[in-house]
Amino acid sequence: MTQSAPPIGNASDSGQSDTDIAAACRVLARETDGLMQMAAALRAPARDGDDTPPLGETFTRAIAAFSTLAGRVVVTGIGKSGQIGRKIQSTLASTGTPSVFVHPSEASHGDLGMLQPGDAVLALSNSGETAELADIVAHTRRYGLLLVAITTRIESTLARAADIPLIIPDAPEACPMGLAPTTSSMMQLALGDALAVVLLERRGFSATEFSIFHPGGRLGTRLRRVADLMHRGGIMPLGTPDTSLRQVIMEMTRKAFGCMGVVGADGRLCGLITDGDLRRVLDRDLDLTRAADIMNTEPLTTGPDVLAAEALRLMNARARPITSLFVLDGEGVPVGILHVHDLLRAGVA
C-alpha cells in the first residue's frame, strides 16, 4: 500500500503558523529599522567630538569619485559581504558604471592583476577586520588606488585604511542570536543600490542605454522600441487622397492590417482609413468615392524610437482600442506600421 503524504497546513499547525509569521514580521521590522537608521545617518550633520565622519558627507565624496573615475569600480568582499558585493557590482555594471567583482582570496593568488591604474576598490566588511581583504587593501595603498569601504566600525583596520569610509549604523541583526548577517547585509545592499542609482541619475543614464545592457528576458522585451517591431517598405498599406474606394478596399485586403494610410504629394501622412470607415460607406459608389472623402485626418501615430510598451498603451488608451499604428519620422512621413499582434508575439503585452 502506498502511504499518503501528510496534509499541508492542517488546523493543528495554526498555532505554529502564528509563531512563524510573528518571527518573520520581527525580521522584517528589524531590517526596516536598520534601513531607517541608515537613512537618518545619511541626513545627519557632523557632531562635535564625533570621530565618525557623517555618512552623508562620505557618501557624496564616494559619488563624486566614482562619477569621474577613469577606470572601473572593483568590488570585493568575502562571505555574506562577498555575496552582497557581487549583487552591488552587477547593479553598477547594468546601470552604466563600469565595474568588476574580485574575490579577495583569488586576488591573493594572481587576480590583483585585474586592478588597473584609474580603478577604485569598493570593499565590504561588516566588522572591517576581514583578514582575507589584507592583500587587496595593501595593493590599493601601494599603487595609489582609491579605496572606499562599507563597514560598521570606524576604528576597524579597513575603515582606517580607506580613503572614503562609508560607516553604516551598527544595527541589531534580525537573527535572535544576533550572529547571522541579516540586517547588516540588507543595509550593505541598500547602500550599494543607493550608490548605483545616484550614479545613474548623475550620468543621465537613459532607458535606451539600459536596454543595451538588458537585451534578454522580460525586461529586455519591455525596453524594445517600435523600430524593432514595425513593418517597413512595400508591406505598408498606403494610398493617396485620390485613391478610389475600390482601390482602398483592394489595398487593405492585400496588406491585411485593417487600415490604409493616406499620404499627400509631400509624402507625409495626411489621413487614415480603417475597416470601420469602410463599413460605414459601402453604400457609396466604389469608383467615384475617393480616400479623401472618408479618411480620418487626425489619426493616432507613433515614432520609431518610442518604447513598444508605450505604443501598446496608446493603442489601448481609447474607448475602442485600435490594432495598428503608423510610424512616422520627424517630418511626418510613414516609415513603418505596427500591429498589436507584433507586440503580442514579442511578449510586450
Side-chain angles (χ1 to χ4, degrees):
M1 294 179 62
T2 59
Q3 190 172 12
S4 60
I8 297 174
N10 58 43
S12 63
D13 292 334
S14 60
Q16 184 62 52
S17 297
D18 291 343
T19 301
D20 294 342
I21 294 299
C25 290
R26 185 181 65 249
V27 170
L28 297 178
R30 285 195 176 179
E31 293 191 348
T32 300
D33 184 61
L35 294 177
M36 295 303 293
Q37 288 185 45
M38 189 163 63
L42 278 166
R43 297 189 184 96
R47 293 180 295 182
D48 292 339
D50 191 348
D51 293 333
T52 303
L55 181 57
E57 175 188 311
T58 54
F59 181 86
T60 54
R61 286 173 54 201
I63 290 293
F66 288 161
S67 63
T68 58
L69 202 62
R72 305 156 303 168
V73 177
V74 179
V75 185
T76 190
I78 201 164
K80 300 297 187 295
S81 291
Q83 297 297 326
I84 296 298
R86 288 183 185 276
K87 193 277 177 184
I88 292 172
Q89 181 274 318
S90 176
T91 303
L92 287 168
S94 69
T95 53
T97 299
S99 59
V100 64
F101 181 85
V102 173
H103 193 285
S105 295
E106 297 297 335
S108 299
H109 294 275
D111 278 3
L112 282 174
M114 296 176 67
L115 277 67
Q116 300 295 319
D119 287 347
V121 170
L122 176 62
L124 285 75
S125 171
N126 188 41
S127 68
E129 299 296 343
T130 304
E132 290 86 351
L133 290 174
D135 287 338
I136 199 167
V137 168
H139 187 82
T140 66
R141 304 304 80 190
R142 184 176 303 119
Y143 292 99
L145 303 181
L146 178 73
L147 175 61
V148 179
I150 297 179
T151 182
T152 58
R153 296 179 173 85
I154 187 60
E155 73 281 0
S156 66
T157 302
L158 178 61
R160 286 187 283 108
D163 299 295
I164 305 176
L166 300 174
I167 309 301
I168 60 177
D170 191 8
E173 301 287 6
C175 163
M177 297 173 291
L179 298 175
T182 46
T183 307
S184 59
S185 295
M186 179 64 69
M187 294 168 73
Q188 287 179 338
L189 178 60
L191 190 61
D193 285 344
L195 285 168
V197 172
V198 173
L199 287 167
L200 174 155
E201 292 181 356
R202 266 209 179 199
R203 189 177 293 108
F205 194 74
S206 67
T208 299
E209 293 170 293
F210 202 84
S211 66
I212 292 171
F213 298 138
H214 299 78
R218 178 68 176 168
L219 183 57
T221 298
R222 289 176 57 197
L223 292 170
R224 295 183 74 177
R225 302 280 170 172
V226 167
D228 300 327
L229 303 174
M230 70 185 189
H231 303 271
R232 307 166 187 263
I235 198 170
M236 289 189 290
L238 295 172
T240 70
D242 290 330
T243 300
S244 70
L245 185 55
R246 186 184 301 277
Q247 292 171 318
V248 169
I249 294 172
M250 293 174 61
E251 178 74 357
M252 290 174 61
T253 302
R254 283 196 302 267
K255 304 296 176 64
F257 281 96
C259 65
M260 187 193 84
V262 183
V263 294
D266 57 2
R268 298 180 181 180
L269 189 75
C270 61
L272 181 74
I273 299 172
T274 67
D275 284 334
D277 297 323
L278 284 183
R279 286 193 294 271
R280 286 188 287 272
V281 298
L282 283 178
D283 58 340
R284 298 191 187 184
D285 188 292
L286 298 183
D287 295 308
L288 295 180
T289 304
R290 304 298 174 184
D293 301 328
I294 62 172
M295 69 184 187
N296 171 13
T297 57
E298 295 182 354
L300 190 65
T301 62
T302 189
D305 294 327
V306 172
L307 288 174
E310 174 63 14
L312 180 62
R313 188 194 67 77
L314 288 174
M315 289 179 169
N316 292 325
R318 295 188 172 181
R320 297 185 64 180
I322 61 177
T323 58
S324 295
L325 278 176
F326 269 95
V327 185
L328 310 183
D329 66 12
E331 301 298 321
V333 175
V335 293
I337 187 170
L338 181 71
H339 195 277
V340 68
H341 288 167
D342 303 320
L343 300 172
L344 293 171
R345 281 192 292 268
V348 175

